[in-house]
Amino acid sequence: MYLERLLEKKVLDALRRNGAVLIEVAKAVGKTMLEQKMASSFIQIDISEDDIQNFKLNPKKVLEGEKPRCIDEWQIIPQLWNLVRKEIDETQKNNLFILTGSSSPLLENKNIHSGAFRISRLTLSTLTSTEKGFSEKKIDFKDLFEKKNSMNILKTIMKI
């Protein structure tokens, strides 16, 4: 059973503004279910060693598919990062790719472009109590700093 994630709205917002979004995530927190729900097409890089070798020989093949295309465990073939960035630059389109993986080699590799202004970065954590249905999301911490919402927050706090 899929539980709606709070991160979904952030992913959609990021894809509206950028060509891709990188979802950095630990193992076993619901990454695959989230990406399959949000992407129009999906490819998993770590299926088999033969597939990995074929993708390494022709990494552009990984980018083919309906957009937004999710590329799961992209970091196994790090040159995919630059190929994604290049496609974003060439097409000048948003909503192209969702990159996910349980590790990220970006900080270690000086030959990989940062992806600035092309690829947003988000972090998926374990299910929150709100996502599990244990509590209601009444106050968004972001709203605490936006003047337009301050009166509504005060009203909500006073009712608590």
Side-chain angles (χ1 to χ4, degrees):
M1 175 179 86
Y2 180 76
L3 297 174
E4 188 174 329
R5 303 302 303 263
L6 297 174
L7 191 71
E8 288 178 30
K9 183 180 182 305
K10 290 180 181 179
V11 171
L12 292 173
D13 288 345
L15 285 171
R16 275 190 215 101
R17 293 187 318 271
N18 298 286
V21 63
L22 168 65
I23 301 175
E24 298 175 299
V25 61
K27 291 183 185 265
V29 298
K31 164 182 64 94
T32 303
M33 291 181 83
L34 173 71
E35 61 200 18
Q36 287 178 339
K37 181 179 187 290
M38 304 209 68
S40 296
S41 65
F42 175 84
I43 188 164
Q44 198 167 359
I45 301 298
D46 64 344
I47 300 292
S48 73
E49 194 56 44
D50 287 342
D51 286 338
I52 292 171
Q53 292 310 315
N54 287 332
F55 293 145
K56 283 182 178 179
L57 289 172
N58 189 5
K60 285 187 176 187
K61 187 85 173 150
V62 174
L63 305 184
E64 295 174 5
E66 196 174 335
K67 306 297 189 271
R69 178 154 178 81
C70 180
I71 305 171
D72 188 26
E73 301 297 348
W74 70 272
Q75 76 281 353
I76 292 171
I77 306 172
Q79 68 259 39
L80 285 172
W81 180 269
N82 283 331
L83 287 173
V84 164
R85 183 183 53 83
K86 185 176 181 211
E87 182 153 332
I88 293 166
D89 286 347
E90 288 175 355
T91 64
Q92 293 293 303
K93 292 183 179 178
N94 294 340
N95 199 34
L96 295 176
F97 299 102
I98 300 170
L99 305 174
T100 59
S102 49
S103 69
S104 180
L106 296 179
L107 298 176
E108 301 153 16
N109 190 337
K110 304 287 187 226
N111 296 321
I112 293 181
H113 187 280
S114 69
F117 304 108
R118 297 167 185 90
I119 304 171
S120 290
R121 293 183 185 193
L122 298 171
T123 301
L124 179 65
S125 58
T126 57
L127 286 166
T128 65
S129 59
T130 301
E131 291 168 330
K132 291 178 183 178
F134 297 142
S135 70
E136 295 180 29
K137 182 183 174 191
K138 291 187 176 187
I139 299 173
D140 188 332
F141 285 111
K142 179 183 80 172
D143 292 342
L144 291 172
F145 300 99
E146 292 182 7
K147 190 174 183 179
K148 65 182 179 187
N149 293 317
S150 58
M151 190 53 82
N152 290 335
I153 291 170
L154 269 174
K155 288 177 186 175
T156 302
I157 292 171
M158 298 304 276
K159 289 179 187 176
I160 294 176

